Amino acid sequence: MSIPYSRYIFASLPWYGVLIAAGVFLAIALCMHEEKRLGLKQDTTIDLALWVIPLGIIGARVYYALFNWQVFADDPLSVLRIWEGGIAIYGAVIGGLIGVCAFAAHRRMNPLLLTDAIVPGLSLAQGIGRWGNYFNMEAYGREITDPRWQFFPVGVQIPAGSGYTWHMATFFYESCWDMLVFIVLWFVIRKRSRKSGTVTLWYLLLYGAGRFIIEGLRTDSLMLGNFRVSQLLSLALVMFSGTVLVIRSIKTKNT
């Protein structure tokens, strides 16, 4: 298990693509469930997906290319060849959020109501999609030199020269965290939420906190100077969402 048998299920069908597609399918199914609970019109989820998914894909690629431009500098058109790899989940979230806002403006809806319906499924999809990194042998962390920790799923073996080197399985750590975030959002937060945006804020807080820590363990982070881009963004999301949740809590107690 420390070394994937192949990047492909069979022929040229990659595990990464299948896992991403499975995550998207489950996220849509959960959003459709929330559609009914939140009193949204029938087929809102399907219509929303037609906006969010394409913009999420574009955002994921643009984010990756923007902070990894040296890979594309000699051949800028290679940015369009997304099937060759190179996407970033934060870019997908940003692109998807733009899609939500545009859809909400078009339909004259509250965008926070839509994001509340989306984020539980999004966290589940992220947890599933991270396993694509396992099959691609990417998104791993620092080298593990202590033999006592050289086992899966604590670590994975990555090609190095003529052999393999043990590295922290940070994709697995984040997958577990994403699944935990999903459980908290789905079974606790959404049932207690009384105000639009609460589920979204808790997603940003929880996911951002976990990503901030795990990103610091990775060896392939997108960088902005000497800083890890995803850590900076995670910290900003945690501070923003935490502040808003505290202000909301204070206002509720004073009413």
Side-chain angles (χ1 to χ4, degrees), residues 124-135:
L124 177 61
Q126 288 175 296
I128 295 172
R130 274 299 173 195
W131 279 91
N133 299 134
Y134 164 71
F135 289 101

Side-chain angles (χ1 to χ4, degrees), residues 23-24 26-35 37-38 112-128 177-191 193 198-204 206:
V24 170
L26 289 174
I28 290 174
L30 290 177
C31 190
M32 291 177 70
H33 181 279
E34 290 298 88
E35 174 185 297
R37 189 180 70 87
L38 296 173
L112 292 178
L113 193 63
L114 296 175
T115 56
D116 281 351
I118 291 172
V119 292
L122 173 60
S123 58
L124 177 61
Q126 288 175 296
I128 295 172
W177 180 254
D178 292 340
M179 292 296 187
L180 179 60
V181 172
F182 163 70
I183 291 172
V184 172
L185 294 179
W186 188 258
F187 294 102
V188 181
I189 303 298
R190 75 185 184 95
K191 294 182 177 181
S193 174
T198 299
V199 180
T200 301
L201 289 167
W202 274 105
Y203 164 78
L204 295 176
L206 294 173

Side-chain angles (χ1 to χ4, degrees), residues 83-102:
W83 57 88
E84 294 181 353
I87 59 175
I89 184 60
Y90 262 138
V93 173
I94 293 171
L97 180 59
I98 293 173
V100 170
C101 292

Side-chain angles (χ1 to χ4, degrees), residues 64 133 137-141 170 215 217-223 228:
Y64 178 85
N133 299 134
M137 302 182 79
E138 60 189 9
Y140 52 84
T170 46
E215 189 70 24
L217 303 175
R218 289 178 57 170
T219 60
D220 61 345
S221 298
L222 299 177
M223 305 296 292
R228 299 172 189 263

